[in-house]
């Protein structure tokens, strides 16, 4: 008799532990997932707090109503047919469902709908366990829009330079036939070069932005010592003959060396300098100096420049369809990655100031 009592005690302890474990699982699920129960006809019999919170309906408003109270009108009927066909067979349905809130807004869930059976295998009810994936779906949508903006940007930026290159090339051919003086041919060739360099810059922008978008924060960088003066000299040699504008360079510290990714640094500086060069009225000044031991690059010019920092915001671009601001978006990405501070000041003379670090962020060295 005592053995049986001891056995019952042990079984009772085991049941208590299992009940406690199940209770904790239920609490964890209630806090992290959207849960509801329905009868076999799809009428809601229970709903947890997470369901109330995301749908905007109270528990009292949900219970007794068909589950399609939160169905979004744009959800294909075929999805729900497949769902009912699956769960009526006693199988678990899993899929992405777009729902509608009480206020008309929408949200996305990864739904797992599980049939609950009695001892004889008959389905008594269904329990739906759902994860909120709204942010993930929004990111996917933004990513798709991002790709469209990149295509739009490239098509827009490629059209005029290509037309100019073709026209100038034809002009050179006609000048040669007419034995025109060499200066006229040289000027036309400069136009070709200028537009070819613009195409090259736009290609770099598109390529680099796509790398950032594809790899997110896992973009591979090659850290090496870079002498800034050499980058500035390369830009000067490339562009000084192509624009009929005065280009000033004031290098107060010739031997400034920073440890950075050379390609990203060049792309960043080329975007800033060329865009300022194009928008300047007749003169542009690039300065390299140190302020409190921190290297700084400053570009000064009179002309058009962004009047708000929102041009750096991709989501602002999406809402305004400002595909011509991809350059600025990329600048923000590069400066954030390298932890540089980029500041734009408007006035009679526009100032673009980049505060650099001599050492790269630790995250790039791992």
């Amino acid at each position: 008799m005592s053995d049986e009592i001891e056995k019952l005690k042990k079984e009772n302890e085991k049941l208590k532990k299992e009940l406690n474990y199940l209770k904790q699982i239920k609490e964890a699920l209630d806090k992290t997932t959207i849960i509801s129960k329905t009868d076999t006809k799809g009428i809601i019999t229970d709903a947890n707090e997470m369901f109330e919170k995301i749908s905007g309906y109270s528990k009292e408003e949900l219970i007794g109503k068909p589950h399609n109270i939160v169905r979004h009108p744009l959800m294909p009927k075929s999805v729900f047919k497949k769902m009912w066909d699956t769960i009526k067979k006693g199988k678990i349905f899993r899929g992405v469902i777009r729902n509608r809130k009480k206020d008309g807004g929408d949200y996305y869930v990864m739904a797992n709908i599980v049939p609950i059976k009695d001892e004889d295998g008959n389905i008594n009810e269904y329990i739906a366990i759902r994860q909120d994936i709204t942010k993930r779906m929004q990111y996917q949508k933004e990513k798709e829009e991002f790709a469209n903006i990149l295509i739009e940007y490239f098509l827009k930026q490629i059209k005029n330079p290509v037309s100019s290159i073709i026209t100038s090339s034809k002009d050179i051919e006609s000048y040669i036939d007419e034995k025109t003086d060499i200066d006229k041919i040289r000027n036309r060739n400069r136009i070709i070069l200028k537009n070819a360099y613009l195409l090259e810059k736009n290609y770099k922008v598109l390529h680099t932005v796509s790398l950032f978008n594809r790899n997110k924060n896992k973009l591979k960088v090659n850290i090496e010592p870079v002498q800034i003066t050499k980058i500035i000299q390369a830009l000067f040699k490339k562009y000084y003959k192509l624009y009929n504008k005065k280009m000033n360079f004031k290098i107060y510290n010739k031997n400034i060396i920073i440890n950075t990714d050379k390609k990203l640094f060049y792309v960043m500086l080329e975007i800033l300098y060329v865009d300022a060069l194009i928008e300047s009225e007749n003169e542009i000044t690039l300065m390299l100096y140190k302020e409190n031991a921190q290297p700084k690059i400053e570009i000064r010019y009179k002309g058009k420049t962004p009047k708000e920092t929102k041009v750096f915001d991709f989501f602002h671009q999406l809402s305004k369809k400002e595909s011509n601001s991809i350059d600025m978006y990329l600048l923000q990405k590069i400066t954030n990655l390298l932890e540089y501070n980029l500041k734009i000041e408007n006035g009679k003379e526009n100032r673009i100031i980049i505060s650099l670090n001599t050492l790269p962020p630790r995250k790039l060295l791992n």
Side-chain angles (χ1 to χ4, degrees), residues 53-69:
K53 187 177 179 180
I54 196 167
S55 69
Y57 291 99
S58 67
K59 194 170 184 175
E60 291 73 22
E61 290 175 303
L62 290 168
I63 291 175
K65 300 291 192 305
H67 210 290
N68 61 16
I69 189 175

Side-chain angles (χ1 to χ4, degrees), residues 122-269:
N122 299 314
I123 299 171
N124 283 339
E125 60 182 350
Y126 301 105
I127 183 167
I129 303 169
R130 301 178 292 274
Q131 294 288 337
D132 180 11
I133 58 167
T134 306
K135 287 184 179 179
R136 191 197 311 173
M137 296 300 291
Q138 285 174 342
Y139 172 74
Q140 184 61 35
K141 184 180 178 182
E142 286 156 5
K143 195 173 179 182
E144 290 169 3
E145 290 186 28
F146 195 2
N148 291 333
I149 282 182
L150 287 180
I151 292 167
E152 181 186 339
Y153 167 84
F154 193 62
L155 292 176
K156 186 177 179 181
Q157 299 299 323
I158 201 174
K159 184 180 177 182
N160 292 337
V162 167
S163 298
S164 181
I165 287 170
I166 292 169
T167 302
S168 297
S169 183
K170 286 179 179 178
D171 286 344
I172 286 176
E173 286 295 323
S174 64
Y175 294 160
I176 292 170
D177 292 340
E178 296 167 8
K179 296 181 180 180
T180 307
D181 65 272
I182 195 70
D183 286 338
K184 208 167 187 179
I185 293 174
R186 185 177 286 114
N187 287 334
R188 278 297 175 188
N189 189 56
R190 284 175 179 170
I191 293 172
I192 290 174
L193 266 177
K194 179 169 68 176
N195 285 285
Y197 285 149
L198 277 175
L199 287 176
E200 181 191 50
K201 182 191 78 99
N202 292 332
Y203 169 77
K204 287 178 186 174
V205 169
L206 182 68
H207 177 68
T208 311
V209 169
S210 66
L211 284 177
F212 269 106
N213 191 47
R214 186 163 63 246
N215 299 310
K216 296 176 74 178
N217 295 325
K218 297 178 182 178
L219 185 72
K220 290 183 179 179
V221 293
N222 180 33
I223 302 298
E224 59 182 312
V226 174
Q227 190 169 0
I228 302 176
T229 308
K230 289 185 177 180
I231 302 290
I232 293 171
Q233 287 171 345
L235 281 174
F236 176 72
K237 287 178 183 177
K238 189 172 180 178
Y239 292 104
Y240 84 102
K241 286 184 178 180
L242 302 181
Y243 292 88
N244 188 26
K245 295 174 184 180
K246 187 177 180 182
M247 297 165 64
N248 304 312
F249 292 87
K250 296 182 179 180
I251 313 296
Y252 296 102
N253 299 81
K254 293 182 180 179
N255 298 317
I256 294 177
I257 294 175
I258 60 173
N259 291 280
T260 188
D261 182 286
K262 190 174 182 179
K263 287 182 180 178
L264 285 178
F265 186 83
Y266 187 90
V267 169
M268 176 192 73
L269 195 55

Side-chain angles (χ1 to χ4, degrees), residues 74-97:
L74 295 180
M75 271 298 293
K77 291 181 181 179
S78 58
V79 174
F80 296 103
K81 183 181 183 304
K82 182 181 177 182
M83 179 197 75
W84 279 109
D85 289 345
T86 302
I87 61 177
K88 280 182 178 180
K89 291 176 184 177
K91 297 178 180 178
I92 297 172
F93 171 82
R94 189 171 192 270
V96 174
I97 295 177

